[in-house]
Amino acid sequence: MIDPLSEVLRAVRLSGGVFLDARFTAPWCVTAQLAPEDCKPFLNSPAQLIAYHFVIEGSLLLGLDGGAPVEVVAGEIVILPRNDGHTLASGQDLVPVRADGLIQPGADGGLARIAHGGGGEPTHIVCGFLGSEEIHNPLLATLPPVLKIDVRQGTSRDWIEASVKFAARELADGKFASSSVISRLSELLFVEAVRNYASTLDNAQTGWLKGLKDPYVGRALALLHSRIAEPWTAEMLAAEVALSRSAFNERFAALVGMPPIRYLTHWRLQTAKERLREGRGSITQIAHAVGYDSEVAFNRAFKREFGLPPARWRNTHPVQA
């Protein structure tokens, strides 16, 4: 079965990289928030940023306003899906300094570095990012401010752990700040963190991720994402998942936040926008590929969603490789 979570992430086009190697000695405390310039030259104008910190050695406390600190130890990665400002520290009740004031450029254009602290117990972290030019994403809006994973556990453990070790060796040698390996690793770590979080949701919680776990709504989401051009109706989807139309509509809207056909329309147009950005086909071909028999109907729906008809939207957004 097609995995709707992977499909959403693929179409959102998350691009990742590593921008900072930080080595601290206790006591230490810094405030941090990823800025768009930290992602250059890998991303030009990300609409959304996801920050993460991978603890290679030692441990730290991550704090957000109004929340209890999160302990992160060696082998764990902490992810901030909405790039909230935060503190990183060796302990509680320490006076922070701004991390961006401590950053030193890497030698010969290599990875930027921080060396800071009072000379005690060491902590070594690597800081990275994922960015997207998409303003709206049904996934990111549902996630908590902080996710944490252990790279030594999980369904992709062996691949992740081997890749992390390889990347850490390369970064320790000051080699690359971003590459296809690091970008793919960053994306995979994020997917793993989201899956871990989804597995913790209880039956009383709702949201797009909860919809994926529901046996009826999850099946419907997989069908919509894998067969986007099919002329779906609510009745057809309800029959596929063996529910009555009214029960299915109610269940889908309660979990996902919108009726199934509205969700399908939104996803079709997001997919069409991605194809336009990539230069994949003519307007007519794209319209048919996402389920519109009429280019006129496609133009009308696209303009209603994004403010411009598809041809004009494509002209204002250069084709990306």
Side-chain angles (χ1 to χ4, degrees):
M1 180 188 295
I2 296 295
D3 176 12
L5 173 58
S6 297
E7 285 291 292
V8 169
L9 287 172
R10 180 187 60 79
V12 167
R13 287 171 61 100
L14 292 170
S15 299
V18 169
F19 69 95
L20 181 66
D21 182 287
R23 298 169 189 263
F24 300 103
T25 54
W28 60 274
C29 182
V30 299
T31 59
Q33 186 170 31
L34 186 63
E37 53 265 29
D38 294 324
C39 305
K40 292 181 178 179
F42 318 121
L43 292 173
N44 290 325
S45 56
Q48 296 199 60
L49 285 173
I50 300 166
Y52 69 85
H53 305 292
F54 171 36
V55 179
I56 297 174
E57 177 188 9
S59 63
L60 60 82
L61 295 177
L62 181 145
L64 291 174
D65 287 343
V70 176
E71 184 180 19
V72 192
V73 301
E76 292 182 329
I77 294 174
V78 63
I79 299 172
L80 296 101
R82 287 181 289 281
N83 188 37
D84 294 307
H86 55 282
T87 61
L88 303 172
S90 58
Q92 298 194 55
D93 302 320
L94 297 172
V95 178
V97 298
R98 289 176 59 91
D100 53 8
L102 302 173
I103 296 175
Q104 298 296 320
D108 301 321
L111 197 62
R113 298 179 180 273
I114 287 179
H116 172 72
E121 183 178 355
T123 296
H124 179 199
I125 69 174
V126 170
C127 306
F129 66 87
L130 283 161
S132 170
E133 295 183 355
E134 298 296 335
I135 295 174
H136 174 73
N137 181 330
L139 172 61
L140 297 183
T142 69
L143 295 175
V146 177
L147 297 171
K148 188 175 74 165
I149 59 171
D150 188 332
V151 300
R152 298 161 297 185
Q153 300 177 357
T155 58
S156 304
R157 178 187 61 194
D158 293 342
W159 196 98
I160 291 177
E161 188 171 10
S163 298
V164 166
K165 288 180 177 177
F166 168 76
R169 286 196 302 270
E170 295 285 295
L171 293 168
D173 294 337
K175 291 185 178 177
F176 53 75
S178 182
S179 73
S180 59
V181 172
I182 292 291
S183 184
R184 176 60 180 146
L185 177 60
S186 300
E187 181 182 340
L188 187 60
L189 290 170
F190 180 64
V191 172
E192 191 72 7
V194 172
R195 290 194 196 285
N196 287 352
Y197 171 67
S199 70
T200 68
L201 297 177
D202 62 40
N203 292 332
Q205 292 175 281
T206 61
W208 189 85
L209 281 172
K210 188 62 180 175
L212 289 182
K213 292 186 63 183
D214 182 87
Y216 302 102
V217 176
R219 170 65 177 157
L221 285 168
L223 288 168
L224 292 176
H225 282 266
S226 61
R227 293 152 59 183
I228 191 172
E230 195 155 325
W232 292 110
T233 64
E235 290 84 354
M236 291 170 61
L237 286 166
E240 287 277 358
V241 302
L243 284 178
S244 71
R245 179 183 180 279
S246 59
F248 171 67
N249 275 349
E250 182 178 349
R251 194 181 192 101
F252 192 103
L255 289 175
V256 178
M258 64 181 76
I261 302 308
R262 171 59 190 144
Y263 178 86
L264 173 61
T265 299
H266 171 78
W267 188 246
R268 281 174 168 169
L269 294 173
Q270 290 288 341
T271 302
K273 185 170 71 169
E274 195 58 35
R275 289 176 178 243
L276 288 166
R277 176 183 281 118
E278 294 174 347
R280 293 165 58 188
S282 67
I283 302 297
T284 300
Q285 289 171 331
I286 292 172
H288 285 294
V290 299
Y292 286 88
D293 292 331
S294 162
E295 186 176 332
V296 172
F298 172 60
N299 286 349
R300 187 184 305 117
F302 192 96
K303 183 177 180 180
R304 184 167 56 244
E305 187 81 5
F306 302 116
L308 291 173
R312 285 184 58 194
W313 190 94
R314 172 181 266 175
N315 290 337
T316 61
H317 293 74
V319 173
Q320 297 183 358

